Amino acid sequence: MNTIAVRRFVVLSLTPALLIYALFVFVPVIWSSYYSFFDWKGIGAAKFIGLRNYAEIIQDPIFWRALKNNVIFVLVSVFGQLPVALVLAIVLHKSNALQRFIRSAVFVPMVLSSVVIGMIWQYIYHPQIGILNFLLDKAGLPHWKLEWLSDAKIAIFALAPPLVWSFVGLYLIIFISAFQNIPGDIHDAAQIDGAEGARKLFSVTLPMIWSTVQIAIILCISGSLKSFDLVYVMTKGGPAHATELLATYMYNSTFSSYRYGFGSAISTSIVLISLIFIGLSQWLTSRTSKK
Amino acid sequence: MHPTAVQPRPAPLAGGRRFPRAWKQGTLWTFLTLYAMLTLYPLFWLVISSFKSNAEFFNRPFALPSSWQFTNFVTAWQSSKMGLAFFNSIIVSGASLVLTLFVTSLAAYVLARLPFRFKGAVLTFFVIGMLIPIHSTLVPLFILMKQIGLLNSYWALILPYTAFALPTAIFVLTAYLSSVPKEIEEAAYIDGTGLWGVFWRIMLPISLPALSTVIILSFLHFWNDFSFALVFISKSTLKTLPLAIANFADGYQTDYGLTLAAMTMAILPTIGVYLAFQEQVMKGMTAGAVKG
């Protein structure tokens, strides 16, 4: 095979992928960090204002509220989804009919559009017609009834169950496949050494899948920082920014207030914050695993 | 099904412990079944409610419909242009899928099987994409689309969908193709088959399992996407299913049976696909996620 033909083939085959990827993923990220230094309304001339968008972001209480809400989402995912998924995976990693049924059931929400998920939960939480308040009424706890999504104090927490509900399936499957990759002789060795139950779990099984747990944590973080659809559908970031996330804040600033430069600055901050969080979690989990 | 199934346990030595263990198992499985039911309940509730009249929806939220209102589905379909939304979703998802498969399988073949400089750099460049939050590109993409005149066209969705599917797809395919033994294509080269021939007649058929993983993962993303469609499409004739459903709910807020019927119709295709290809979907999810 002559090398010129190979080289031509390599270039020809890689070009479409590189072009599409660069143009629609990479360039926009660079571009938005460039626009973040401008005051721009989307039409007319953009005015260079240096770091002023970032200065405004830092002084903006809504930004900090949004970041706090994102952190709440990260915590709910890491400490809500992962333990539930892990426990389910421990008991479900063999596969008889019942186990397969439960696995499939837990996974189903993963294939639904977040719009539908958001709308279903809107109905569940609806103050007048929602089944949650209906249930509380029937249970004789009418004073527990709340305006779940329009009460600024609880709205962000009301968003946690749909978040957990829709993503537990993903982590369940990830953990199950990690368990199945543990070689069988390690189980045998543990058995011979007399490790059983919780002891085996903590000193054999968990360390074996620790790298998977680390990846799951990264997924939780990047996934939570990406959340937008569910919240946009359920509350649009309201009431009074109580459920604002970085992404909804970016969306609202850009497409409702027409501040493209400011929105770009938030976009860039989202990328930076994601990287910081992921780096931090890597550092933390690698420290605990070395111990 | 799973090659590394757990070894059978030795029988418990102390016979006296068998009873409590059975009890423990029983409680565990009851609890798990309950958990599964609880997970499925919102969907079950959605489907039964979509057959109810408004009055029944208010008064008996947990009961099965006393008379099944199939008309909800007919009315929802007709009054919301759902047919059009389905059509748009099929076009956009289908075109994105074809483009993704063609572009990624070629790139993955080259990255996995052919020697060239900067290979590592190119692969890293693609893989980084998995960490980029989609929404951070919404503003610049919107501006880009506006400037090249693609806003409100199928391409405004097809191109970014493909671009964001690329990192995972290339990763899954490259990893899979790297594990194929060299001899297979060497024999073909000796027979005089060119690079294109090897790609079409050997690599594509061989990578079918990985391709189906990519197909399922990407399809779910394309079909369910909301944010890109929300920002890039405002023309009502081009709206995809998630967008149409969200709009429908705004317009028919008080007609619960209708809205729920529209939602039920919208989730049927993905649930159907999921039930049909369950094992593959799960494998695909892990391949796409674990190795990310």
Side-chain angles (χ1 to χ4, degrees), chain B residues 108 112 123 169-180 210 291:
Chain B
L123 201 57
I170 286 190
F171 193 82
V172 171
L173 279 176
T174 308
Y176 187 84
L177 281 176
S178 302
S179 64
V180 175
K291 312 216 168 89

Side-chain angles (χ1 to χ4, degrees), chain A residues 160-177:
Chain A
L163 194 68
V164 174
W165 180 71
S166 51
F167 285 108
V168 163
L170 172 64
Y171 299 106
L172 171 63
I173 297 309
I174 292 177
F175 288 143
I176 286 178
S177 76

Side-chain angles (χ1 to χ4, degrees), chain A residues 51-71:
Chain A
L51 287 170
R52 251 190 284 161
N53 281 326
Y54 291 98
E56 188 183 340
I57 287 179
I58 288 175
Q59 284 163 12
D60 189 345
I62 302 171
F63 171 80
W64 293 105
R65 171 80 74 94
L67 182 60
K68 190 182 123 197
N69 286 338
N70 269 115
V71 172

